[in-house]
Each structure stands twice: as structure tokens, then as C-alpha cells.
Amino acid sequence: MTDRITDSVLYRHLWGTDEARAVLGEEGRLQGWLDVIAALARVQAEAGLIPEQAAREITEHAQAALIDLGYAAGQTRQSSHSMLGLIRALQAVLPEDARDYVYAGATVQDITDTGTALALRRIGGLAWRDLRRIEARLLELAVEHRDTAMPGRTHGQPGSPVTFGWKAASWADEIRRHLDRLREGAPRWLVGQLGGGTGSLVFYGDQGPAIRARFCAALGLADPGISWLTARDRGAEFTQLLALICGTLARIGGEVYELQRPEIGELREAVKDGTVGSITMPHKQNPEASEHLDTLARLARSSAAVMSEAVVQQHERDGRGWKAEWVAWPETCLLATAALKIAIGLTEGLIVDAEAMRRNLARHGGYQVSERALALLTPRLGPRVAQDRLQRALAGGRAAGRTSSQALVQDGLFSPAEASYLTAEPDTGSCQQMTDLITERAKLARAAEPQEWP
Amino acid sequence: MTDRITDSVLYRHLWGTDEARAVLGEEGRLQGWLDVIAALARVQAEAGLIPEQAAREITEHAQAALIDLGYAAGQTRQSSHSMLGLIRALQAVLPEDARDYVYAGATVQDITDTGTALALRRIGGLAWRDLRRIEARLLELAVEHRDTAMPGRTHGQPGSPVTFGWKAASWADEIRRHLDRLREGAPRWLVGQLGGGTGSLVFYGDQGPAIRARFCAALGLADPGISWLTARDRGAEFTQLLALICGTLARIGGEVYELQRPEIGELREAVKDGTVGSITMPHKQNPEASEHLDTLARLARSSAAVMSEAVVQQHERDGRGWKAEWVAWPETCLLATAALKIAIGLTEGLIVDAEAMRRNLARHGGYQVSERALALLTPRLGPRVAQDRLQRALAGGRAAGRTSSQALVQDGLFSPAEASYLTAEPDTGSCQQMTDLITERAKLARAAEPQEWP
Amino acid sequence: MTDRITDSVLYRHLWGTDEARAVLGEEGRLQGWLDVIAALARVQAEAGLIPEQAAREITEHAQAALIDLGYAAGQTRQSSHSMLGLIRALQAVLPEDARDYVYAGATVQDITDTGTALALRRIGGLAWRDLRRIEARLLELAVEHRDTAMPGRTHGQPGSPVTFGWKAASWADEIRRHLDRLREGAPRWLVGQLGGGTGSLVFYGDQGPAIRARFCAALGLADPGISWLTARDRGAEFTQLLALICGTLARIGGEVYELQRPEIGELREAVKDGTVGSITMPHKQNPEASEHLDTLARLARSSAAVMSEAVVQQHERDGRGWKAEWVAWPETCLLATAALKIAIGLTEGLIVDAEAMRRNLARHGGYQVSERALALLTPRLGPRVAQDRLQRALAGGRAAGRTSSQALVQDGLFSPAEASYLTAEPDTGSCQQMTDLITERAKLARAAEPQEWP
Amino acid sequence: MTDRITDSVLYRHLWGTDEARAVLGEEGRLQGWLDVIAALARVQAEAGLIPEQAAREITEHAQAALIDLGYAAGQTRQSSHSMLGLIRALQAVLPEDARDYVYAGATVQDITDTGTALALRRIGGLAWRDLRRIEARLLELAVEHRDTAMPGRTHGQPGSPVTFGWKAASWADEIRRHLDRLREGAPRWLVGQLGGGTGSLVFYGDQGPAIRARFCAALGLADPGISWLTARDRGAEFTQLLALICGTLARIGGEVYELQRPEIGELREAVKDGTVGSITMPHKQNPEASEHLDTLARLARSSAAVMSEAVVQQHERDGRGWKAEWVAWPETCLLATAALKIAIGLTEGLIVDAEAMRRNLARHGGYQVSERALALLTPRLGPRVAQDRLQRALAGGRAAGRTSSQALVQDGLFSPAEASYLTAEPDTGSCQQMTDLITERAKLARAAEPQEWP
């Protein structure tokens, strides 16, 4: 049985995707490390440091499925060494003649940091794919609702109208920036690590850098140039990006959460069959995906912050920050993949109630007309007078329970015909133009880039 | 297989104790909830709301071991409801006539918040016990090393001598404050929760508060007076305390980490048989427990911060912060219990090298005599002149490679006899008196308090 | 000119109160330190360590207003010593014969930590006073609106009705717990610090502890028993409490923020004359105080987190965490006092629209009747059948655009008379009883405690 | 007088540079906003929206030095509007005919976000310049100390030797990655903002996007395409980068802090004349710059975390996160510039004691030879036997107080000649090759890039 609720049989789907778990879970983690150990053996064999046969056998047996986890665990605890349990468990399944050649000259971080880079490639790939899918959906919404007027809201209060397409375009544009960041960061992140004890490569004599280069290449990673056992900015940057991505998704979720209030009713999560919102209050439909995006963003920020703190390390290895990374790095990744998956469901199923948006624009006397009215009055009266008189007219009208149209006429600012025209149709300003600009820009970027990362 | 490395078969001992896992792991968590569900049924039966027989059967079958987790998981996912999976799985093992009476009128948080209070009682009890054990050990060290002189260090630089016992007393005193906090907080934390959908207790008609009171009493918890579904300061306070405790233990660990440097060598972790510090550098003895205390403190702070953020909740239930608590609360508890256990091992096995301490006091020319010399010169020369001349004498002596004793004589500040007396024996000021004061105070507190919490 | 926007002439009122600034600002901070320096001199004179006359003169001249700040600043920068600039500036205004006796045998933290304890006493006093005032107002609201029904809301969705008085009582109860924490923590926080270089009190020979005791007493502080130069849990605990308090106030603010949405309109901030919500959208009334409480809570949490991190310190002084406290401790205090002041304004001016609450209860077909309907159906049909049929009836009714009353009749669950009775008046369950319980409890606590802290 | 200690006359140099204060302080902030207001007026005049003459006068008078701050402050408080105070104060110094045309159609964030982008350009420029200067110095150190052997240290324990140049190269390489991030992020960050109330540009009729484009161009900023009033990833990314930079500098500082311990003595901060390390302990030389880098990194992380949290915003403006940015954004910038300046001083003055490094390598019996010995024994004995025997030999030798050389001979692993050769000269592995690789790579990058950012 698992202990962390994030891995609970009942709740695991909320805190990570199966795809990410396949990479970062016990088996995926060990397999990643075994892949690195096998690659190291092959490269050492090529360099004549260990027998070819041993490297072949190590490669063949370096399968998580073959490892006796209980034995590995026992040896880990007995030795208090992070990697020795796995090494001994691998040796236990190897033929006698290959056993000695496992993990020769390596240090734990050579294996785990390189393993993390391999995992990062897969997690980054999932993020790239899912972000592009979300972007595609948001662009669809932007196009579809290019002209769907709704109240803009600032400080929670309705203001000048916007369009829902424009809102979706703003989300898509933020996602696009995350895609840019993912692309730009890849060369920094996808590097291997080989250095031995203090990172000096002393085990390999003169061949150190050459062996490291081949080792990285064998795993499809770039060569770092220098050991980075305590240079931890890479992981911090990556997880901070994931936390930012979660933040963006939580922003989208928050919008749905608020606009799904029945008093507003402009957006709504799709509800799948069988969902029970509340047992005691069976009429309720809760914005569960939306609110969970916020939850995930909080936790992702918290984990990413641990990674930032871990940038400050001492000397050539520093277990304090490094072991914190052991937990925080995969945690951030798991949370982010869950957020991406949930955001896909949310955006793809999103129900947009254009009628409610329209209705809400008309509510409360249509006072969101004010900015447009100000624009029209400004050339007539000058900005200050326009502002003062408009403010007085609207405040007075509101207090008296008039519609904005009545208020504008009452105060002599507009003729009834003007006022009626002014308030008849929401003026969404340049929302449509901005939406077009963003969707066009995104379309070009999408066409120019690969579907796979990196 | 688990996914979180914190539950990994290989590494789980680093991130939580078995005792805490028994409370907070999948089985313990479900059992806690089932205990609450059973107590609710019994209280409802007493009040005539459900049949006595049903309550008896619910109580009898509310065993985590009976629950088909796979079924519960499937129902959870299908319904997207956090508790319905468990309810249906419990119903599945109940006789037909009792099934309907499970969880009547409750809301999820009635079960989970009350379950958390039950878990808190056990985790708090573990913390109380372990803190007292650590305190006891630190008090032993304080007494034993009351007179063991060592360099005090500020900004990493040796200064006026202190004693190791005094250092241990400072640690013990900090632990004592945590014990005080634990004791004071208990009445705030150990309360049940019952309220139904929005916390209004509407399901129970006029009997609401009375039923809640009996429900809480049945579980050994206090009655909260009012629903606290979105009043989350309690959990935040408790986890912040755990994070502070981890901080204190990390302070102790940090001291060992630094003083175990072979260049200093004053403290050392005990090494158990079989430990392998480093494969590539077999001579090394790493302060693993010490550094892990720092790692745990980072993670605990990070989780506790999530709890603080969750104090800001909306309306009568707010899934955003609440679900973050689902993860952060047990996480902080697990990390803290691991830290306590490791700190017990560290302090109980701690090797104090009084000889090295003595040697280090004599190193570098014994310049840490300065504060005492200043005290002696002040009445003779006035503080400012004393300070100026001493500073000049010592700086000059140091630059010239003299011992502090030579320097003080050279500059005519002291006679050779005085200087020799001054530097012969480290003056640890009032360290011993302070140590006595703290150990005495702690002894009284320990005698006056129960061994069990709360 | 100031640089931090928090001290900006234009915006300073948002980030701290004048009262707190008087304690924590440049002048208050220096005065606090000077008070400590003067007390030290007097105690040293009593002990015969320095001339009585010098102590009198130091006491007389230790006035921030007399200090040449520019000179102090220059000396601080030149010496790179945190306290020497102030010492020299004080010496510059002292008669020749007293100059030498300033700060004899002290270390910087002796002055600053003791100064912080003095400041804490005043900030804690402000918090106590303001929390009690807020509590009083919330209790008034609780009593006044004991029976004011409004929609309860979970996950942002209306559910079973509650009363606004009950909501206010929940806030008051949370404030009460903060008052308890403030009271309990006082003995831990209000302690002085005297120890010299490494805290060993070596400067004072055998008199160390006695002088420290008199020094603390002279300032109205408790004696710590042992130096706490690197035992920093006290400050962390205090600031975490302030951050929790800010969280509670942000919870109240968030409730107003959301319920002030014109689509809901149940609560509203009072608007003072001259307020301009928006220049471009003059009709708007923004919940500015409410949202600012959230802003302050974020910043306070962030500062308090720095304090928690600073618990992990090394040896006998550790500038890394300590200097972070220099910034984070007063920052948290300033933010918290601002939050308290704003919360007073918000709660005392709060406009409760009972009519809107009533209207909202009736909106959307009155579906929040469900929990009560369930309670009535449960004994008739058994919980499960009751739940299933109710859920079907309400979902069907909702989809068909019926009111809840119609839906309940349509499905044969209730007679028209029953349904009409059921939905006629919101059933707020035990909200009133809980409100009475809390207000009564608070009243007793208030009567039993002093108005001043500690 | 200022209130925040970060702006204290005595301590301000610790928490921000004069250059950054000129940008971010009260005057710089207001000037930035006034520059934006003036540019807006000019663009509006070009578009025929306001008179040319008014735009000229606004431009001429938009000088922070002309603004009556007290008046602005009073108006800000009276109106509770963040920008109206400044507007009215500007109007007060304008000729009558221009007054009305200030800030027409703008919203607060149009001014402040664009002002922030202008400030970011300057702060980013400072960071670029200082990072390059630090990199240059680190590369010098790398070259100069390419062959300076010193103990590598892992977990605080000496291990296989490295060179100090290699350590400096690792720092330089991390700085280089920050330069890459700064370069890549520039196009995302240097964008203006214009949108009016909800960002729809409704005030400008059809001309919205065109006017925004000219407005951005006039200020040397890119056009954002769409309003980003609540799309806040840009600022979060920038401040996270600054926090990472501070982390790197704290890593360098931490290394100096630890290696300056007199027990180690390998590195040392330069001490400027007049510095007083400790009054009571005048012999001490504290690593003040080094430790302050850690302090700054903590605070910068804390501020940057506030920015990340602020990514989750609601609707079209959300004062909660936005106002938190008001504080956190400049705070992070100020702290980072202080860190950069201090790091310049630290690295440029750094004293490297190659002799102490050499001495330390020889201390403790030279046991750091182990990894090299392992490399030599591996081909002879196979890795496992080599490891086992070496571990036994070294552990035994250490326990018996032998040097490593004696231990290796005693156990028959090496001949006396071999052992003597092995331990005679530290083998720093491929440190030199890696150092060359990094310095060469950096040299090329430096040559190819501009000295100014962006």
C-alpha cells in the first residue's frame, strides 16, 4: 500500500498522469537509472576499461523488472548508500563474470542526474504535446467566440465589454510563451553528468572528457562541458517553468470557477456521466476540474520553490539540497502533468453560455457602457469635464435605479437616440482585432515548429 | 509499485516513519475515516435517526482491511466524488439492511477533518514522545559536557570559547519551547467537525449541536462550537509547528555537519556497521543523518507553507485550499516524524571529541582570548582605548605570526605572567551557569508533565 | 526619498500603519536600540563596571533625535559593522567622559535582539488591541445578523442556506484563536538577550547571569536563561502567527470581494467620499480594502517564510539567516498592522444587504432546499433511496426549468403543501444555535482578559 | 525618514544599489510613469485625439522633480486610486489648456506595466553588465588557478582533489547560463501595455491596435499583441531568473564562507581598510560579503515566489496579485542588483591561498587519494575486489593513524614506490581539460555578443 495520498489507489489520478508515473514512479525511476548504468558500461567497454562481454550482460540485465526490490531495499538501508542497493540487486541477477563491472568509477549523481535528464526529456515532451493541444483548443475557442461579447471584469466588478474569444486568445498567448520557454531551455536541460566522486573524472585518467562525451551521446544527451553536481540551476529553471505553466492553467481554471457561479453562469465545466457533485446537496454542479487546477498550482509552486532553494549548494556535492531535489523534482513534474491533463479536459469540454454573457451585459443597467461613453464625450467636453460629468451622471443614475441609458439622457450628456445607440450593442473595442492578431501569430508558430519536443 | 520516491521501497525510511505511515498511509487514512463514519452511525442511532442494528453493523464492518480498494477507486473515479467510492465499498461489505445508513447527512469534510483530528492526536503524540526523548538526550549531553570547552564560532569564525554542554543546553531549550507549543495548541487542534453540506447542521433539525457534541465526545475530541470547514488556521498552526521543529533539528544537524569536517573534527555521527559512505572514495564518512535533517526541514517548510496559504478560503467550502491540505498536511507530518527519528539516532549516537575541541581552541594562536582580554583591559584603560589597543595588538601579532599571548605582551598590554595566565585555560564565561539553569528548568518541566500527549 | 514602494509617500498607508512605523521605522528602530544601550549602561553602572555618571549621560543622550544619521551611516559603511556607526554617532553627542562606556562588552545581537523584543511588545500590543476590536465588531455582526439567511456556498456554488451572523461568528471564532495564540506566546517572545561575542557572557566574569537578569528586568523583559543568538524559533513563531492573522483577514476580505460582485450583491464595502473606483469606468465600485487584505496576506506569508528558514542557523552567530530576519521581521509586522487596520475599516463599514441575500436564496429555483428535503425524506425512504430519488427529481426539474418546489411535487416526493412549506422559508439549520454558542463563549473570554497585551 | 530597514540611511547599501534605486525608487518610479504618460500623450496627439500643444506641454512637464509629492500623496489617499494622485499633481503643474489631456483613456496598469517594462530594460541591462563582469573575473580565476590543486569536498568531507580554476569555471558556466536566459527572455519581457479599463482598447475606437503599436514603439518596447493585464508570466519569469542568479551568487559566497574558516583557510575575502569585524572579538575577520549573498538570495527567492503566485489572476484585472507585484517586483530587482555588486567585490578581491589548499590536501593522511587508487587497482583486481580491499585498507589505516600511503603499502595493495608516487602529487583528473573547455566556450560566447542588453 502506498502512504502518500498522491499515490493512493483512490486518488492517484488527481496528482499525476499514468504517462508521467511510468517515467517517474519506482519502476520508471529505476529503469532510467539502469539505462544510464548500462550506457556507462557500454562506453567503458568501448574504451577498453571493462570487458565487452560484461557490458553486454549488464545492458541485457539492466531491467527494472528483473530487480528484486526487497533485496535492493534491504541493501540500501544496510549500507545507507543511495545507489548501492540497486547495484547489488543488479549484480545479483548478473552472471558472475559481469558483476564486478557495474557502476565502475561512477558516483551516485552521475547516475541520478543523467537519469533525471532522461526523464526530463520525456516529461518535457509530454508538456510540449499537452501545451500545444491546449493551445489548439484555446485558439479554436478564440476563433469561435471572436465576437461573443461578455462583461470584462476588473476587481471582480463588471466593466467595459470584451469578447470571450479575446479572453481565450490571451490564455493561448500565455501558453505560447511557455512553449517558447520549453524550446529555449531544452539545450540547457538535456545534458548528461559524469564525473565520479568530486566530479574530476579522475577515475578515467586522460580519457575523462572523451568518455563523458560518448556517454552523453549514447543516451541522446548533450555533453555538459563540466561537472554540475552542485550547479543546480537547470532543474530549478525547469521546475519553475512547470510551476508557471500550472499557474497559467490555474488562471484558466479560476476563470471558469468564478464564471460558473450560477449568479453569473457564463462558463461551465462539462459534467461526465456518473459524477456526483454533492451527496447532501444533489442539485449542485461543482467546478471540480477548475478548482483542482488551483490546488495543483499551489503544490507545484511549493515544490519548485524547494528546487530554487537547492541552487545554493556547497563544494562538490551537497546532500542537503540534492536530496530535496529527489523529492521536489518529480513531484513538480507529476503535478504539472496532472494539471495539463485536467486542463485539456476542462478546455475541450468547456461550455460557453453566450446567452448568459449577453444577459449579464445588459444587467445592472448596462453601466459598463461608461468607458465608451467617455471616449465619445472626451472630444466634446475635454477629458476632465467628460469624466466628471459622466461620473456624476452614472453615480446619480445608479443611485436612482435608472439604466445607464436613462442616466446619460437625464444628465443631458447624450440625446435619447445617441444614448440608445450607445447602449444598444456592447462595444468590445479592439478585442476582435487583438484576437485575430494572436491567433494568426500562433498559427504561424505552430506551423513552423515540430510536434515533438525537443 | 509506488510512484513518489518518498514511498519508494528503497527510500521510504528517509521520508517517514513506520509509525506515522500506519496513521497516514492509505490504510491508516481509510481506517481513520471509517472510524469516524462508524462513530457517526452510533451517535445517529442513539439519537434515533438510524436503526441501532445498522449502527452496530456499520461499526463492525468499518475496517479498512475489509474494503475492496480497487472497487472504491473505481467508484471514486466514476463519481468524481472524494468519499463516495469509500462509502460504496463499505456498503458492499455491509448486510443489506445497514447499507442505507452509512454517512447519513454528512459531508466529506465531516469525515476527513474529523479523521485528520484523530490522526493529529497520534502524530502529535509521536512528536511529544520523540521531542522529550531528544530533550532528555540533549540534557544528558549538557550535563556530561558542562565543562567541555570548545571554540564558539560566529560567522563561521572561531571566537570566545563556549562549552559543548552549553550548546546542547541551547538545543534542549529550543526543544522545550516546542513542547510548550505542542501542549498549548492541543485544545485548539483536537476538535471534531460535523455540519453537513454547508456546515449548517440542517440535516439534524434541532438536534444538530447536541449530536455534534456527542459525535466529538465519542471520538475523544472536543466540540468545535461552530463548523470550521473554511476556518483552517488549526492545521496551518500545527504544520508550522512541525516545520519549526524540523528547523530546530536541522540546526542541530547543521552543527554536526560542519563540526564533522575533518579540518575541525569536534563532533561526529556514529556510523553503523555496513555503512558505505562512498564507493569511489571509500575513506569518507559522510554526516548523512545531519544533512538529511536539513533536507527534511526544507521540505517540511515547503509543505507547511501550502497549509498557511490554505487559510484563505472562500464561503463554506473551498476545494482549492482544502485539497492542497490533503497533500500538505500528511506530508508535513511524515517528514517531521522522519526528522524526529533521525534526530534521535543522531543525538544518541553523537561522538563528541573533547580533545579536538581543546586542540582547536589552541590553534591559530589562541586569538579567541580577545573578549576576555578586553574585559580585563576595560577597567584599566577604559573601553575605547582598551578596544583600540587590543585590536592593534592582535592584528599586528597575527600578521607577524605571533601567538595571542606573545602579541599581548609585545604590545605591553599584559605582563608575560598575566598573558600566560590569560591564555592558559579557555575562559568559557558563564556557559556553565547557563547550562545549569537550563537543565534545572527542563528537569522541573519534565517532572511536572505527562509522558503522553495531549 | 524612499526607494521601497512600501514606504512611498504616495502609498505608504497601504503597507504599514503610522503606529507600527513609529516602532519599526528608522527612528523607532534606532530609539529601540538606544534604549537597550542605555539600559545596559545603567545595569553596568549598578554592577560597578562603568561610572554612574557615564550611565546617566548615556541614558540622557540616547535619543534618536540627537543622532547625526548621516555620520552614523558613513561610519557604518566605513567599518562594515552593523552597530559601530550608531555607537560612534552616540559617542559624538556624549560628553567626553562618557563616550568610552557605550556598548561595553555587548555584541550587536544583544542590542538588536533585545530591541526586537521591545518592538515585539508594542507590535503584539497593537495586534491584540486590533484583533479584539475586529472580534467585537464581528460579534456585533453575528448578533445583528443571527437570523439573516443567505445562501451557503461550497465550491462557489450555492448550497444549503446559512445565516450571515453565523458566518461572522466563524470569523470571530478564528480571531479568538489568534488572541489565544498571542496570549500563550507572550512569555516565549518577550525575553531579552545579553551574551557578548559568542553568547558566553565572558565579558562579565562571574556576574554574567546576574547582570543579564537585571538588564532584562530593567527593560520589562523576561530573562532567557541562555543566549539565543542562533535559537530563532521565537521570531519565526511570532511572524507565522502574524501571517496566519493576515490569512484570516484575507479570508474575510475574500468573502466580501466575491459577495460584492453585482451579480451577487450580498456584501459591500463602505465607500468613503472622494473615492474614485475607476477613471475610465466611473460606474465601478471596487472592493479595494477586501482585495488588499489578500495582497497583504501573500506578502506576510512570504516574509514569515523567510523567518522560518532562518531557524536553521550555525554555531553561535550566523549572519545569513540573521540578516534576513532584519528585513523579514519588521516587514511582516508592518504588513500585519496594515491588514489589521484595513480589516477594522472593512468590518466596521461593512454593508450587509439582507434583501439581496434573501433574493439570492430564491433564485435558481430555490434548489438549495435539497439538504433539508433529504433530511425529511430519509426517515420515509431510507437514506439511499431518498438520495437517489431526490437527485433524479432535482436534476430533472432543473433541466426542465422547474422550481425546486415544482420538481419535488412532480416526482411525487412531496405533496404540494409540503413542498411549498419546505421551500417557503430557508432552513438555516443550527446556524443560530452555533452563533449563540460562539458569541457567548467569546463574551466570557473577553470579560476575563485584559484589554492590553501582554 | 524611511521605515523599511532596506532603505535605512545606515543600511541601504546592503539591500540595493544606487543605480537600481535610481530606477526603482520613488523618483525613478514616478519618472518612469511620467515618461509613459508623456509618450501616450504624444501618440494620442499624432492620432489627432488630443491637441499637439497639450502633448508637448505634458511631455515638458512630466518631470518627477516638478511633482509636489505631498499633494500627490494627499490626492492618492483621498481618492483611493493608485494613479489619480500623480495625475492631479501633474495637472497642477501643467498650463490650464493641457491639463485635461493627461492620461486620457488609460488605465493604471497601462502606465505601471509599461513603466515596469522600461524599468526592466534598465535592471536587465545592469544584470547583464554585472554578470558579464563577474563571468570575466571568474574566467580569470579559472585560467590563473587552472592547476591550483585543492581538496574536492562532498558532504563537507574532503574527497578526490580538484583545482580551484575548475571550481571557478563551474561558477562561470552557471553565470553563462544566466546570460543565455537573460538574452532569450528579453523579447518576452520588453513589451508595453495599453488597453484601458478591461484591456479592450475601446477608448480608441478602431485605432486601438495601431495606437498601441506606436505607443510601444515610442518607448522602445515591443507590441504585446494582446493586453496582458492578468497574464503575468513575464514578470514571474524575470524575477525567478533574478532569484536564480542570486542563488548562484550565494553558492559562490557559501564556498568562500566555508573555505574562509581558519581551520580550512583556502579562500578569503579581501578586507577593506577600516573594517571592524567584531568589537568584542577584534581578531576576527568575518566573511561578510559571502554571507550577505546568502541573505540576499533568501529574500530574493521569497519575493520571486510572490510573483509566481501572482500568475493566477482573475478576469481582466485582479488587484490581489497585481498589488503584490508592486512590492515584489522591485524588491527582487533591488536585492539582485545588491547581490551582483557584492559578488563583483567578492570575486574581484578574492584571496586564494594555494599554499593552504596544498597543505589541506596533505592533511589527514592524504586519504583523498582513494579514487585514484581505485582506478589503478580496478584493472588489476576487478572493481569489486579493488573496492573492498581498498576500503578495508584505508579504514584500517585511518583507525591506526597511518597515512594513506602507509595504509596502501601495509595491506599489500601497492609497493612503497607506487604508493609514494600515488600520493606524492594530487591527481586532479580532468579538471584542467574541463576548465579549458569552459573558458574557451565562454570566450567565444563573449566575443559574439553585445556588451549591452538587450
Side-chain angles (χ1 to χ4, degrees), chain B residues 153-155 263 284 291, chain D residues 153-155 263 284 291:
Chain B
R153 287 180 176 88
T154 62
H155 309 278
E263 298 90 344
K284 288 180 73 230
E291 74 179 21
Chain D
R153 287 179 177 89
T154 61
H155 309 278
E263 298 91 343
K284 287 180 73 230
E291 74 179 21

Side-chain angles (χ1 to χ4, degrees), chain A residues 48-50 101 203, chain D residues 372-383 386:
Chain A
L49 297 174
I50 69 168
Y101 302 103
F203 185 81
Chain D
R372 186 192 200 181
L374 183 65
L376 293 177
L377 288 178
T378 295
R380 300 188 197 166
L381 308 174

